[in-house]
Structures are given as structure tokens and as C-alpha cells.
């Protein structure tokens, strides 16, 4: 991640301290009192050391931002921020401001790292940069809030906001002509075999699985295959709503174990039931340009 320029903000306590320092300094000049000169010098030294230590406290830090779950537009997503301290001494009292909430890291060990989590949201779908974060600290005395802005170099794929629709496998035109079904019934039992990646858990034979100690699935003469085609037309007026409904339908039918395909004006993805297919469909929906 990229760091911005350091910025310093005077806190209320810092403003009072500066005022007292100036007041005592003026009094020392007017009276010629050596004790007041010493006090003023001490207060200026403390102020200088505070500024220097707060600056050093924020040096030598590296940040890596990554999502902990899939990102959907207009929905809060949990992100993890890995912070690594390259210095030979710790960093203390680090604040991470997302604009909505501040997360605090009290202690960051020397030449060590820590991971913290917080929520971020994206307003649009597609490849997007994460919102800027503000990293700051009141260390050591709370007179100043010194920090910088942290921006992400990496772009994250944001899927369309899922919009709930009443879906039913028996209703092939629900909703808005975006779904067609091709269901091969699983009535004729053929046998059992060992579970392989991509098989639906609906076909697991749990009694035999418990007996032999490994997953086995039921096979049918029709393959037990149920297909759903999602349709995306370039002539749709409210394309964002349509994309949101298709996103919801995609996740819904994959969860039920269907093989899901996608038809757009530019491509056709044959129905498959594996996780890679779901990700591919969601990526197409996220990056769809509408022409």
C-alpha cells in the first residue's frame, strides 16, 4: 500500500500546552527570571522530543490489505490489514481510521507483525480500489495527532449487489426472463461411487458414508444433473438491478447443487456445478459493460 505525506494535527491538550509554554516564555522575558527561562526551555524540549518520537513511531511500517470474504457492491465487507514493523523497537498506539470507525493497535512488536480486521464498503461493482485509510497516533503525550493517508495500489473485484428475487426451479421464466431450466431427473438409481470434487452434497449416501468412513455419492442413469441457464440481455433498461438479481440467482442455485450456465450477448458459459464456474459467472457480471 502507498503512504501519503505526514500530517500533524494539534490536539486540545497540545494547544493548551503550547499556550502555557508561550505564556511562561513571555513572562520569563518580561521578568528576567532564570527559573522561568529553565521551565520554558524544558517545556520546549519536551515538545520537541514528543514530536520526534511520534514521527519515529510511524516509520518503518508496511501494510498489506486483503479481503476475508467475497466483495459485493454496497455491502460491508470484512478486510484484514497486516501491519509489519521493520524497526528494532515497537510502535505504540496506532489508530486506523476507515472513515466510519477507528481500530486501535496498542502494541506492535519490533520486527514483528500483527493483523487487524475492519469493515469496508464499495459503492460500485467491477475492479475498484479500496477506500483510503488514515493511520495516525497520539503517541507519546497526546499533544499531537501525527499520521498519513494509506491508499491501496491493488484493485479488488467487486461483485454486483445481490438483489433478492423469488426463485423457483419449477418456474422457468422467473424473474424477468433471466432463467431457463433443464432438469434431468434423478429417479433411476444406478449405484454408488466415491465422492469427487464438484459433486453435490445432495447426492451423498450418508448411511454408507458413516459405515465406510468416507464420502460416497449416489449415481443415477440421468446423471442426477440439474441445469440452470442465467440470461443477460444487452437491451435491459435497468441493467444494475438485473445484474443484482442474476448475482443472487447464481449463488442461490449453486448452493442448491445446480449446474449453472450464463448467456450474454458476447459469450456463453456452459452449465457447470463447481466453484470455479461460480466465480467465473460472478466476474462476468461484475465487469459487464452493457454493450
Amino acid at each position: 500500500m502507498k503512504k501519503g505525506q505526514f500530517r500533524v494535527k494539534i490536539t486540545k491538550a497540545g494547544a493548551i500546552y503550547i499556550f502555557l509554554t508561550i505564556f511562561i516564555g513571555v513572562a520569563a522575558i518580561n521578568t528576567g527570571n532564570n527559573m522561568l527561562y529553565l521551565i520554558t526551555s524544558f517545556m520546549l524540549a519536551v515538545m520537541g522530543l514528543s514530536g520526534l518520537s511520534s514521527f519515529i513511531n510511524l516509520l518503518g511500517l508496511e501494510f498489506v490489505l486483503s479481503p476475508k470474504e467475497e466483495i459485493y457492491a454496497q455491502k460491508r465487507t470484512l478486510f484484514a490489514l497486516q501491519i509489519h514493523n521493520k524497526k528494532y523497537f515497537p510502535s505504540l498506539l496506532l489508530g486506523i481510521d476507515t472513515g466510519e470507525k477507528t481500530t486501535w493497535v496498542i502494541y506492535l512488536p519490533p520486527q514483528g507483525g500483527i493483523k487487524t480486521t475492519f469493515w469496508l464498503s464499495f459503492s460500485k461493482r467491477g475492479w475498484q480500489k479500496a477506500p483510503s485509510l488514515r493511520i495516525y497516533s497520539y503517541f507519546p503525550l497526546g499533544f499531537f495527532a501525527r499520521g498519513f493517508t494509506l491508499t491501496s495500489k491493488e484493485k479488488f473485484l467487486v461483485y454486483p449487489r445481490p438483489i433478492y428475487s423469488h426463485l423457483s426451479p419449477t418456474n422457468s421464466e422467473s424473474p424477468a426472463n433471466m432463467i431457463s431450466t433443464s432438469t434431468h431427473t434423478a429417479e433411476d438409481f444406478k449405484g454408488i461411487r466415491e465422492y469427487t470434487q464438484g459433486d453435490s452434497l445432495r447426492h451423498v449416501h450418508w448411511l454408507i458414508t458413516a459405515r465406510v468412513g468416507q464420502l460416497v455419492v449416489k449415481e443415477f442413469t440421468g446423471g442426477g444433473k440439474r441445469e440452470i441457464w442465467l440470461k443477460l440481455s444487452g437491451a435491459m433498461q435497468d441493467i444494475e438491478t438485473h445484474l443484482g438479481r442474476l448475482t443472487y440467482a447464481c449463488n442461490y442455485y449453486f448452493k442448491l447443487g445446480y449446474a449453472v450456465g450464463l448467456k450474454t450477448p458476447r459469450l456463453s458459459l456452459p452449465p457447470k456445478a463447481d466453484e470455479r464456474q461460480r466465480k467465473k459467472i460472478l466476474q462476468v457480471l461484475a465487469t459487464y459493460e452493457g454493450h
Side-chain angles (χ1 to χ4, degrees):
M1 300 191 73
K2 183 180 179 181
K3 301 178 185 177
Q5 293 182 343
F6 279 90
R7 297 184 181 275
V8 180
K9 181 180 179 182
I10 302 174
T11 64
K12 185 177 181 179
I16 294 174
Y17 187 87
I18 292 173
F19 173 79
L20 289 176
T21 302
I22 295 173
F23 179 81
I24 295 174
V26 171
I29 294 173
N30 290 335
T31 61
N33 190 312
N34 291 334
M35 181 60 68
L36 293 180
Y37 278 117
L38 289 174
I39 294 174
T40 303
S41 300
F42 175 77
M43 294 180 72
L44 289 172
V46 170
M47 190 185 303
L49 289 173
S50 173
L52 179 62
S53 59
S54 66
F55 177 75
I56 295 175
N57 188 55
L58 294 172
L59 290 179
L61 302 180
E62 290 184 344
F63 302 86
V64 178
L65 183 68
S66 59
K68 295 183 70 65
E69 55 190 28
E70 292 179 342
I71 310 173
Y72 293 90
Q74 301 177 31
K75 291 187 66 176
R76 299 174 73 218
T77 304
L78 188 64
F79 271 75
L81 184 66
Q82 179 72 41
I83 310 173
H84 181 70
N85 181 15
K86 298 188 293 184
K87 302 189 297 291
Y88 289 98
F89 43 88
S91 289
L92 306 170
L93 299 176
L94 299 177
I96 305 166
D97 183 11
T98 65
E100 298 180 359
K101 183 180 179 181
T102 298
T103 302
W104 289 95
V105 176
I106 305 301
Y107 177 80
L108 185 60
Q111 293 192 312
I114 194 171
K115 182 180 289 186
T116 185
T117 58
F118 45 81
W119 298 91
L120 294 176
S121 60
F122 296 77
S123 59
K124 298 180 180 179
R125 61 181 174 87
W127 290 102
Q128 306 289 339
K129 288 186 177 181
S132 298
L133 305 175
R134 180 171 174 260
I135 310 297
Y136 67 98
S137 177
Y138 292 112
F139 179 84
L141 300 176
F143 293 157
F144 308 96
R146 187 184 298 273
F148 52 83
T149 301
L150 197 64
T151 56
S152 175
K153 297 180 181 179
E154 181 184 0
K155 289 187 176 182
F156 302 96
L157 183 58
V158 181
Y159 301 136
R161 177 175 65 94
I163 298 178
Y164 171 80
S165 298
H166 180 66
L167 302 174
S168 173
T170 60
N171 185 356
S172 62
E173 300 298 326
S174 171
N177 294 326
M178 73 179 188
I179 297 171
S180 64
T181 63
S182 174
T183 304
H184 301 280
T185 60
E187 296 178 355
D188 298 326
F189 180 72
K190 179 180 179 180
I192 60 172
R193 59 173 173 82
E194 185 178 347
Y195 174 85
T196 58
Q197 185 68 30
D199 287 334
S200 172
L201 293 179
R202 293 169 59 89
H203 298 152
V204 173
H205 198 305
W206 295 108
L207 290 177
I208 298 181
T209 293
R211 188 183 308 163
V212 301
Q214 66 177 18
L215 285 174
V216 293
V217 295
K218 295 176 282 188
E219 278 192 307
F220 301 88
T221 54
K225 186 178 181 182
R226 300 175 301 169
E227 295 180 353
I228 289 287
W229 279 95
L230 304 180
K231 300 177 182 179
L232 183 56
S233 171
M236 295 296 299
Q237 293 182 349
D238 191 356
I239 188 64
E240 295 302 324
T241 298
H242 193 63
L243 289 171
R245 288 175 175 172
L246 286 174
T247 299
Y248 176 84
C250 176
N251 290 330
Y252 175 83
Y253 283 114
F254 268 106
K255 187 175 181 180
L256 291 180
Y258 280 75
V260 182
L262 176 67
K263 289 182 179 179
T264 76
R266 290 189 174 184
L267 60 82
S268 178
L269 299 176
K272 294 181 181 178
D274 55 72
E275 179 66 12
R276 184 180 298 179
Q277 173 81 346
R278 188 182 72 89
K279 293 282 190 180
K280 188 181 296 184
I281 291 175
L282 290 178
Q283 181 173 350
V284 171
L285 298 178
T287 57
Y288 184 72
E289 296 294 337
H291 54 75

